[in-house]
Amino acid sequence: MTEPAVASRRAALVYNPIKVNAAILRATVERLSAAAGWAKPLFFETTIEDLGSGVARQALEARVDALLVAGGDGTVRAVSEAMSGTGVPVTIIPSGTGNLLARNLLLPLTDPTAMVQATFDGDRQPVDVGFAAIRRADGSSEERAFVVMGGMGLDAAMIANTSGDLKKRVGWIAYVDGAARSLANAKPFRIAYQVAGRRLHSAKVQSILVANCGSLPAGLELIPQASVTDGELDIVIFQPKNTFGWILVWRRLAWDNSILRRFRAGRQVLALRTEDNAVLYARGRGLDVASEAPQPVQLDGDEFGEAVRLRCRVVEGGMIAMVPKGHDTSKI
């Protein structure tokens, strides 16, 4: 079978008009498409009703050969939901406040032209896609994708309590305000959870996270060993007993994971330290967690209401991400 002519190839751009300069970005995609000998690209805007999955499916119906996505973490999440398993490569153009998948792929965050160019001459990098089946108290359910991390409990409450206007003004730092609002009323809740292939556990927690990525803004490492290419999900359970327990949580994230683990001497210190149980880690291909009472749920920073159960799975290499040619992928 002969390969189709390059000129018959077409890319589509899905973008959040609030997050990008649409005129400049569209012109860049048109220019680089023409330079690569591709047909005129298609353009799709996201809306409040369609965060990206619907228009991404429209692009697939138009039989595009590549898709570019420009927006925040929520836009990337929605597009990934539609693109998982299709084999059509996706180029992420960092445009929001977090850009967490782009950060974990070590992509250039301030060079959109380089990322657009990667669509046409870059390297393909398979990345894992997580899916969470969300069950409500009324028995209804839905399954949604995530590419960064999802959670039940305090982390979702923090996102719900973060001001959208403040986030627009100061970016990810706005979550500090959301965290302060959430901690004031935070109460532990009872869960039963089971990592795929492991035994069932019961615990009283503040939050349980299931993650595909481990790095956060400001150099914070939530899960130093997490990888978007290992075919597994990383689980983090926060169960501080009191104020001192929260200090231990912060020490683990801001000092142990983000500073000490970078150095050999620091890793030796950690090896000698007695482990606390304020933060617990696990890893597996899936997670099933049930709560006694409905708890708030978030996926990649998007609110998904309250749920009594989450059943999470991972699709290994579910999405093909385009990265700049020669991009170092050894640390992702």
Side-chain angles (χ1 to χ4, degrees):
M1 181 180 294
T2 59
E3 291 290 329
V6 172
S8 67
R9 296 183 184 177
R10 186 189 303 272
L13 169 67
V14 172
Y15 64 94
N16 183 334
I18 298 175
K19 299 285 187 179
V20 304
N21 185 318
I24 292 177
L25 183 57
R26 288 173 60 131
T28 300
V29 174
E30 286 185 332
R31 175 172 56 83
L32 294 181
S33 288
W38 288 39
K40 188 173 181 179
L42 303 177
F43 298 108
F44 300 89
E45 286 190 2
T46 65
T47 64
I48 295 176
E49 294 76 20
D50 181 0
L51 299 179
S53 59
V55 286
R57 291 187 178 97
Q58 289 180 37
L60 290 171
E61 290 172 1
R63 304 180 67 84
V64 298
D65 300 278
L67 188 139
L68 302 90
V69 54
D73 293 323
T75 306
V76 174
R77 185 209 66 77
V79 166
S80 301
E81 186 171 282
M83 302 304 292
S84 179
T86 66
V88 176
V90 176
T91 304
I92 300 167
I93 303 172
S95 309
T97 55
N99 299 310
L100 290 180
L101 182 57
R103 290 177 189 274
N104 281 269
L105 289 171
L106 306 178
L107 299 178
L109 301 180
T110 58
D111 192 350
T113 300
M115 287 310 305
V116 174
Q117 183 62 44
T119 306
F120 309 106
D121 64 5
D123 297 327
R124 295 183 172 218
Q125 175 59 57
V127 299
D128 301 338
V129 179
F131 283 87
I134 306 167
R135 186 174 181 82
R136 316 289 180 188
D138 63 4
S140 63
S141 63
E142 62 177 325
E143 187 174 59
R144 295 291 188 173
F146 62 94
V147 286
V148 180
M149 63 186 68
M152 172 185 279
L154 182 61
D155 64 297
M158 176 191 75
I159 288 169
N161 286 326
T162 298
S163 165
D165 291 337
L166 185 62
K167 188 177 176 182
K168 289 178 183 178
R169 294 198 302 270
V170 301
W172 69 269
I173 297 175
Y175 288 122
V176 175
D177 177 70
R181 293 170 182 266
S182 303
L183 280 171
N185 298 311
K187 294 180 180 179
F189 58 97
R190 175 70 62 180
I191 61 169
Y193 70 96
Q194 185 173 29
V195 179
R198 310 280 183 84
R199 66 184 181 88
L200 183 68
H201 293 270
S202 176
K204 207 168 187 180
V205 306
Q206 290 282 2
S207 183
I208 181 167
L209 294 175
V210 56
N212 195 34
C213 299
S215 297
L216 302 175
L220 289 178
E221 293 292 331
L222 176 63
I223 313 164
Q225 294 83 16
S227 169
V228 295
T229 64
D230 62 3
E232 293 190 304
L233 297 171
D234 286 84
I235 293 91
V236 189
I237 298 172
F238 295 101
Q239 50 182 21
K241 300 292 191 298
N242 47 38
T243 301
F244 180 69
W246 280 114
I247 294 173
L248 293 178
V249 169
W250 181 248
R251 184 187 70 175
R252 179 74 71 91
L253 301 185
W255 181 248
D256 295 359
N257 291 353
S258 305
I259 304 296
L260 290 185
R261 288 188 187 277
R262 296 180 181 179
F263 308 99
R264 178 181 298 177
R267 292 191 292 271
Q268 291 174 343
V269 170
L270 293 176
L272 296 173
R273 180 187 294 167
T274 301
E275 288 285 342
D276 63 77
N277 63 358
V279 185
L280 297 181
Y281 291 94
R283 179 178 295 161
R285 294 188 61 84
L287 171 71
D288 192 352
V289 54
S291 170
E292 292 180 340
Q295 299 296 330
V297 170
Q298 65 84 19
L299 299 174
D300 291 359
D302 284 343
E303 298 176 56
F304 279 89
E306 293 188 335
V308 294
R309 188 173 185 179
L310 286 181
R311 300 186 70 178
C312 302
R313 61 185 177 92
V314 63
V315 178
E316 184 173 2
M319 185 173 73
I320 307 300
M322 296 302 295
V323 300
K325 194 170 187 63
H327 183 66
D328 183 6
T329 58
S330 63
K331 296 181 180 180
I332 66 173

